[in-house]
Amino acid sequence: MPQWKDLLTEIEKIEKKYGSSLREPASDTEIRKMNDNIHQRLGNITITQSYIEFLQKVNGLDFNGLVIYGIDEDFLDNEIDEELHGFIETNEIWYENDWQKKYIFYGDSDTAWYCFDLKEQLYVELDKPSGTLIQSYDSFDSMLSDAIETVL
């Protein structure tokens, strides 16, 4: 089991202390709708299976300055009453700068972006806003675990 799943349990305990909770998991239908629209809106990119597993556990995360993108509101089966940073719409915003189109953005924090570098074929943490490489990872799971550990 990836380490980030244990870390999400820790976040859930913290959220409960404050009367809050993690988001509900994304449904298979919601994930399929988002996947069906990625190529039209972002080009020839494929999201990793590990990210899909994250969405099946929790539809996005917004905790202590760390945001991991969820399913865009357009593709949700039910309305939610909190702000959700959608994967496609947030990548569209970052893609307004040409140099950022070489990445798939999975999340960000106050100081970093968490991405997949399409050219180098590896996961990276980039300084925000300079884009300087901070760290690289061999998998989405290790990148996500490191990002969550940073804010716990």
Side-chain angles (χ1 to χ4, degrees):
M1 180 169 81
Q3 181 186 2
W4 61 261
K5 290 184 180 180
D6 292 332
L7 297 170
L8 278 182
T9 303
E10 291 301 310
I11 291 174
E12 193 166 30
K13 290 176 188 171
I14 294 167
E15 292 281 2
K16 277 185 181 171
K17 285 183 196 174
Y18 297 98
S20 191
S21 63
L22 292 175
R23 291 192 178 118
E24 294 294 315
S27 71
D28 290 341
T29 306
E30 292 168 336
I31 292 168
R32 188 174 56 255
K33 282 191 254 182
M34 184 180 83
N35 244 335
D36 289 347
N37 283 273
I38 283 176
H39 296 295
Q40 289 175 346
R41 293 180 50 190
L42 298 178
N44 192 23
I45 66 167
T46 303
I47 56 175
T48 181
Q49 183 60 37
S50 296
Y51 175 63
I52 292 171
E53 289 171 22
F54 168 78
L55 293 173
Q56 290 169 330
K57 184 89 171 139
V58 59
N59 183 18
L61 179 68
D62 191 341
F63 178 78
N64 205 15
L66 173 66
V67 175
I68 304 299
Y69 311 139
I71 302 286
D72 298 77
E73 289 185 43
D74 296 354
F75 310 125
L76 296 180
D77 296 333
N78 302 303
E79 277 190 40
I80 58 171
D81 52 348
E82 63 179 300
E83 184 180 3
L84 178 66
H85 296 84
F87 177 85
I88 293 175
E89 63 193 28
T90 307
N91 271 275
E92 286 176 330
I93 291 167
W94 298 136
Y95 285 5
E96 288 175 7
N97 295 317
D98 279 341
W99 71 268
Q100 291 174 307
K101 291 179 181 177
K102 70 179 226 165
Y103 301 106
I104 300 172
F105 291 84
Y106 286 100
D108 65 86
S109 70
D110 297 336
T111 60
W113 283 302
Y114 297 94
C115 318
F116 182 71
D117 185 322
L118 293 162
K119 184 179 178 192
E120 301 297 329
Q121 293 290 297
L122 49 92
Y123 294 88
V124 295
E125 177 183 356
L126 302 175
D127 174 69
K128 187 178 175 185
S130 74
T132 305
L133 178 67
I134 296 172
Q135 189 168 347
S136 60
Y137 304 91
D138 59 356
S139 69
F140 175 82
D141 292 332
S142 60
M143 179 181 71
L144 181 59
S145 297
D146 191 59
I148 295 173
E149 280 180 337
T150 302
V151 297
L152 272 173

